[in-house]
Amino acid sequence: MKVAIIMGSTSDLETMSGAFGILEDFGIEFEKRVISAHRTPELMFEYTKGLKERGFGVVIAGAGGAAHLAGVAAGLTTLPVIAVPMPTKNLGGLDSLLSMVQMPTGIPVATVAIGGAKNAAILAAEILALSDKEIDGKIAAYREASAEKIRNTVI
Ligand code: RP5
């Protein structure tokens, strides 16, 4: 299954690019799109509604400010949605974080740290790994490599 990465603006691209390398390393196919819940609501509806039948298993949504992108996506699909709060100039990303993490009961969004696109990708991989042994093995190897780095660190 594939991962859909959506972001509210091209200004989110640099932060969201943290997810690309991780998914590539795990051999997971992904699609990236700029879609805004408030600037292109019709596109948001059309794109998100079509994800399941196009073979996507997880959605990663990055947005900033009054960040409703992930919540709207979660309302439009029953695929798991992972939110990446963008760092922002005025409030340091706390605005994005609270907008994403405080979803009302019934429509969950899994929110990672401010700017946490890499973790969003790892979490997406873990979800797909539930039904894909190959991805599961790659995540285990990734974990082992990061543990090995710590074990080999001499200070
Ligand atoms: C949000 O507004 C986007 O996700 C972005 O983080 C923020 C600012 O967008 P731009 O003004 O840079 O297009 O919708």
Side-chain angles (χ1 to χ4, degrees):
M1 277 194 283
K2 300 179 282 186
V3 173
I5 302 178
I6 55 177
M7 61 201 88
S9 169
T10 48
S11 63
D12 302 328
L13 186 59
E14 195 184 332
T15 300
M16 292 308 292
S17 67
F20 308 160
I22 297 279
L23 293 175
E24 278 160 9
D25 287 351
F26 290 157
I28 296 171
E29 211 182 313
F30 62 96
E31 178 173 278
K32 46 187 194 295
R33 291 288 299 270
V34 175
I35 297 176
S36 169
H38 55 279
R39 287 181 274 207
T40 58
E42 293 87 0
L43 175 62
M44 176 81 207
F45 182 89
E46 188 192 326
Y47 181 78
T48 313
K49 279 287 184 194
L51 286 174
K52 235 183 206 179
E53 67 184 35
R54 290 180 54 223
F56 287 88
V58 186
V59 180
I60 297 175
H68 37 247
L69 186 71
V72 173
L76 289 167
T77 180
T78 52
L79 291 174
V81 176
I82 304 169
V84 182
M86 285 303 123
T88 55
K89 270 193 214 120
N90 293 333
L91 295 170
L94 191 59
D95 43 353
S96 323
L97 173 68
L98 294 179
S99 299
M100 287 171 149
V101 82
Q102 286 296 97
M103 279 299 289
T105 300
I107 308 290
V109 161
T111 305
V112 296
I114 297 168
K118 284 189 183 177
N119 263 2
I122 296 167
L123 184 55
E126 287 176 350
I127 292 167
L128 297 185
L130 290 170
S131 56
D132 189 319
K133 286 215 167 353
E134 208 175 310
I135 298 173
D136 199 38
K138 285 176 181 164
I139 295 169
Y142 177 87
R143 290 265 179 120
E144 178 49 29
S146 71
E148 193 60 9
K149 228 183 204 171
I150 296 295
R151 287 192 288 261
N152 292 338
T153 300
V154 180
I155 53 170

